[in-house]
Amino acid sequence: MTPSGHFAYSAPWLKGQERADLSNSLEEIYIQNIGESILYLWVEKIRDVLIQKSQMTEPGPDVKKKTEEEDVECEDDLVLACQPENQVKTLDFDVSENRTEIEELPPIDHGIPITDRRSTFQAHLAPVVCPKQVKMVLAKLYENKKIASATHNIYAYRIYCEDKQTFLQDCEDDGETAAGGRLLHLMEILNVRNVMVVVSRWYGGILLGPDRFKHINNCARNILVEKNYTSSPEESSKALGKNKKVRKDKKRSEH
C-alpha cells in the first residue's frame, strides 16, 4: 500500500472478474478495519482465494470431515480446573528417542475467551523446548472436561534447535480443516520460538464461515502478545513489511 492509501497487486493467473472480486474484498477489509493493522487479514483473504481456486480446478475425493457444521453444545462457563479422570488424547510422534531433554510439565496460561454467535474460542499457551513437553501440555489440557469436550482443539508449536540452527515445528487441525496450518503460519510471521499455542473452539450451532479462522488467530496472537512472545500486532505487521522490503531490495541489487 502506498502512503496515499492506494494498493496494487499482480495476479495474472486471475481472470478479470476474479481479480475485481479480490480487489473489492481487500478494500472491504480495509474499510472494516480503518486505523488497524490489516496486513495479516489481507494475507489470509488471498490465501482463501487461492485455496478455493485450487479446489475448483482440482476437485478431490468427497471425504467426510469433522467440521463446524457438526452440532455440538457449547457450555457458557469456561472452567479450567483439572479433571484427571478424563481420557487423554495421544500424539502421533515418538518422543522416546531423546531422554536427555527437559521433561518437566511447563506452566500453562489461558487467554481471554472470544465469543461470536454462540461459538467460543479460547487460547492456551505453554513454553516448550522439546516434543515431550508438547505431549505433556496436551495431556494436561485434556484432563480438563471442558477443554476435552471442545469441538476442536487446534494447536501449533515452534521449537528452536540451537545445534542445528533450525526450527522443529508442527500443527494439528483437530477436524477444523487448515486451521492448524494457519495458526502455525501466524507463529512463523510473528517469529516466535519455544512456545506452543492451543486454541479450543466450542461450536454454538451457528456457522461462522471464514470468521472462525480470524477468531482462532486473534486468540493466539493476543496471548502471545500478552505473554511477551511477540510485540503488538501493529509492530509485528510493520516488521513483516520491512522484511519484505529488504528481500525486494536484495533481489533488485542482484540484477
Side-chain angles (χ1 to χ4, degrees), residues 120-251:
T120 300
F121 304 79
Q122 186 179 31
H124 322 281
L125 177 149
V128 293
V129 295
C130 65
K132 176 67 174 179
Q133 287 187 317
V134 172
K135 183 178 180 180
M136 293 172 70
V137 169
L138 287 173
K140 187 64 177 177
L141 287 173
Y142 277 114
E143 287 178 1
N144 176 270
K145 288 184 177 180
K146 177 63 182 177
I147 294 174
S149 68
T151 312
H152 310 288
N153 281 300
I154 304 111
Y155 74 81
Y157 66 88
R158 301 189 81 217
I159 300 171
Y160 185 67
C161 305
E162 293 284 353
D163 53 344
K164 298 180 180 179
Q165 299 289 299
T166 187
F167 281 91
L168 173 64
Q169 59 186 36
D170 201 0
C171 60
E172 169 60 44
D173 295 337
D174 193 28
E176 186 68 284
T177 306
R182 291 168 181 261
L183 178 57
L184 181 58
H185 181 59
L186 171 68
M187 296 173 70
E188 290 173 337
I189 288 178
L190 299 179
N191 195 28
V192 299
R193 60 177 63 188
N194 298 333
V195 65
M196 173 185 187
V197 177
V198 181
V199 178
S200 302
R201 189 242 176 133
W202 293 268
Y203 178 53
I206 300 175
L207 301 180
L208 302 186
D211 283 349
R212 66 191 190 275
F213 298 116
K214 179 178 68 175
H215 296 322
I216 290 168
N217 281 358
N218 281 343
C219 277
R221 182 168 52 181
N222 289 344
I223 198 170
L224 285 167
V225 171
E226 179 186 348
K227 299 304 174 182
N228 298 317
Y229 279 90
T230 186
S231 53
S232 67
E234 292 77 13
E235 292 174 350
S236 299
S237 297
K238 290 179 181 178
L240 178 62
K242 289 180 180 178
N243 289 338
K244 287 186 176 181
K245 185 177 186 300
V246 168
R247 288 198 296 269
K248 289 181 179 179
D249 292 342
K250 184 177 180 181
K251 288 182 179 179

Side-chain angles (χ1 to χ4, degrees), residues 2-39:
T2 64
S4 59
H6 298 283
F7 67 90
Y9 65 92
S10 175
W13 43 271
L14 285 179
K15 297 179 181 179
Q17 186 58 46
E18 293 174 330
R19 190 182 298 111
D21 290 342
L22 176 58
S23 178
N24 291 336
S25 297
L26 296 180
E27 289 181 3
E28 182 178 352
I29 292 174
Y30 172 73
I31 292 173
Q32 291 176 348
N33 298 272
I34 291 178
E36 300 180 6
S37 173
I38 60 169
L39 180 58

Side-chain angles (χ1 to χ4, degrees), residues 10 23 34 39 42 45 62 67 69 84 108 119-120 243:
S10 175
S23 178
I34 291 178
L39 180 58
W42 275 5
K45 180 60 183 179
D62 185 14
T67 65
E69 285 78 9
I108 303 175
S119 280
T120 300
N243 289 338

